[in-house]
Amino acid sequence: MRILLVGSGGREHAMSRALTTSPGVELLIAPGNPGTAALGSNRSVDADDIPRLVALARAESVDLVVPGPEGPLVAGLSDALEAAGIPCAGPGRSAARLEGSKAFTRALAESAGVPSPAHQTVSSVGEIDAALARFEVPPVVKADGLAAGKGVFLPDTIEECRATARDLLGGRLGTAGSTIVLEERLSGVEISAFHACRGTEAIALPHARDHKRLLDGDRGPNTGGMGAVSPNPHAAGFDATVLNDFVLPSLRRLSDDGTPFNGFLFSGLIVTDGGPRLLEFNVRLGDPEAQAILPHLPDGVFSEICAWVAGLRGRPPRFEPDRRATCAVVLAAAGYPEAPRRGDPITIDPGIETADRWLIHAATRMDAGTLVTDGGRVGAVVGRGDTAAAARAVAYEGVTRVQWEGMVHRRDIGAAADG
């Protein structure tokens, strides 16, 4: 099977590793990174260049396209591939609104009876005060559209909420903030749940716990994710609830609306005293969660799941996941997330790679034969062990084997799971 994987980050390197455990897979990656280049053939086509991606898939006679990031899906990559007769393991533009519009997700969840926080959608400055008056404590402020993980704000006061809302509606994040959603602020443990979906069917993938804040102790600014552990130690016993109360009702609503979801659904939940609530849906695998969950899949299974999602096989594969724990520690550039520095040479000790530890490339590139940083989240070290504590220890020992000037990482990824 010839597969074109779309994307260039750490998630795509992890997906490349999982796809190439199938001996019959020939992998192309557009555009890829130095890590994916060791597993397949990188092609210099940007992930958001839909016409060129379709042309590449056609010219290379690929059997299946697997999108990594959300941007191309929200922009209609799957629809363009379908028009060209090329199977795609990702939802069409209409179903991808689950991630492309937070207001759309809130409306769909409400109509489907999915447990969610109270919310208000605001599309003009004149609506802010009335919307804020409905909250007893400062709400979470979210940009409606895609904002590269930078569209969620947690103001401490109502006045800060008001200022943030005004800034977003005034163009702080461009069109992503032309509508905003104010949401009830909830406390509890977060769960990252993943399902492979086709229409109204879904199969559970391993779950994870992400760590969003930049600094130890969940302090500092929100980021795209500073690390993840799998399985999530707090998710035990919630698998059936997530499937039956969140995933299947949403899939049925999308199908009833004529926009069936064929792809990977990420459910971001928070477990409150009143039970789980939906924080967000994403229409792809998470990053860095993919780095932690995909190693649980037996060899060859991920490509079979992708084929089922895309309609190339009638039934989903049956599999028993590897029960060992994984821990992925993200390594970020100096200045991340506001202004990451690029071009710093990266030194990697060859001893970093073992049977139970590996380095994932994300924002890296080759510069005259030298590996250098090329963005915010530069890479991740993934460790595996019989227990969460063992996996964490293996990962952090590996972190000591990677260096560049100003490297940033948290020291407490998975610490709550050690027991």
Side-chain angles (χ1 to χ4, degrees), residues 12 14 48 79 102 120 141 189 230 233 253 257 270 272 288 330 339 345 361 382 391 393 399:
E12 286 73 44
D48 59 358
D79 307 84
K102 293 177 178 62
Q120 293 288 312
V141 182
V189 175
S230 179
R253 173 57 61 188
D257 290 344
I270 185 166
T272 71
V330 168
H361 288 251
V382 183
V399 169

Side-chain angles (χ1 to χ4, degrees), residues 281-364:
F281 278 136
N282 291 334
V283 298
R284 36 71 188 184
L285 294 179
D287 187 346
E289 294 99 331
Q291 289 89 304
I293 69 171
L294 289 176
H296 292 292
L297 301 181
D299 288 355
V301 166
F302 186 53
S303 64
E304 294 177 2
I305 292 173
C306 291
W308 172 69
V309 162
L312 292 177
R313 57 179 288 162
R315 295 181 179 180
R318 295 180 179 273
F319 63 92
E320 184 66 26
D322 188 325
R323 300 296 179 181
R324 289 175 291 177
T326 55
C327 176
V329 180
V330 168
L331 311 177
Y336 178 74
E338 289 83 6
R341 192 169 71 202
R342 300 170 187 261
D344 288 313
I346 302 170
T347 301
I348 303 172
D349 183 335
I352 193 171
E353 296 280 343
T354 71
D356 290 317
R357 184 177 62 224
W358 50 91
L359 177 67
I360 293 291
H361 288 251
T364 66

Side-chain angles (χ1 to χ4, degrees), residues 156-345:
D156 292 323
T157 67
I158 290 293
E159 187 53 44
E160 289 178 8
C161 289
R162 184 177 293 109
T164 301
R166 286 179 175 273
D167 286 348
L168 290 173
L169 292 170
R172 175 176 173 178
L173 293 176
T175 57
S178 58
T179 295
I180 62 173
V181 178
L182 307 179
E183 294 183 1
E184 172 189 10
R185 189 174 303 202
L186 301 174
S187 61
V189 175
E190 295 189 22
I191 297 173
S192 299
F194 297 90
H195 290 79
C197 308
R198 180 157 185 83
T200 57
E201 294 183 83
I203 59 171
L205 302 178
H207 45 65
R209 183 183 183 189
D210 188 14
H211 298 67
K212 286 290 187 188
R213 297 296 187 102
L214 178 68
L215 304 175
D216 291 357
D218 289 327
R219 296 177 295 108
N222 266 343
T223 73
M226 293 300 295
V229 293
S230 179
N232 186 323
H234 303 284
F238 285 108
D239 291 348
T241 298
V242 174
L243 179 64
N244 294 321
D245 294 353
F246 293 86
V247 175
L248 293 181
S250 300
L251 293 180
R252 287 192 290 265
R253 173 57 61 188
L254 288 168
S255 183
D256 290 345
D257 290 344
T259 57
F261 187 96
N262 302 322
F264 295 97
L265 184 64
F266 162 95
S267 304
L269 309 177
I270 185 166
V271 181
T272 71
D273 291 340
R277 298 289 183 269
L278 177 70
L279 294 178
E280 64 178 343
F281 278 136
N282 291 334
V283 298
R284 36 71 188 184
L285 294 179
D287 187 346
E289 294 99 331
Q291 289 89 304
I293 69 171
L294 289 176
H296 292 292
L297 301 181
D299 288 355
V301 166
F302 186 53
S303 64
E304 294 177 2
I305 292 173
C306 291
W308 172 69
V309 162
L312 292 177
R313 57 179 288 162
R315 295 181 179 180
R318 295 180 179 273
F319 63 92
E320 184 66 26
D322 188 325
R323 300 296 179 181
R324 289 175 291 177
T326 55
C327 176
V329 180
V330 168
L331 311 177
Y336 178 74
E338 289 83 6
R341 192 169 71 202
R342 300 170 187 261
D344 288 313

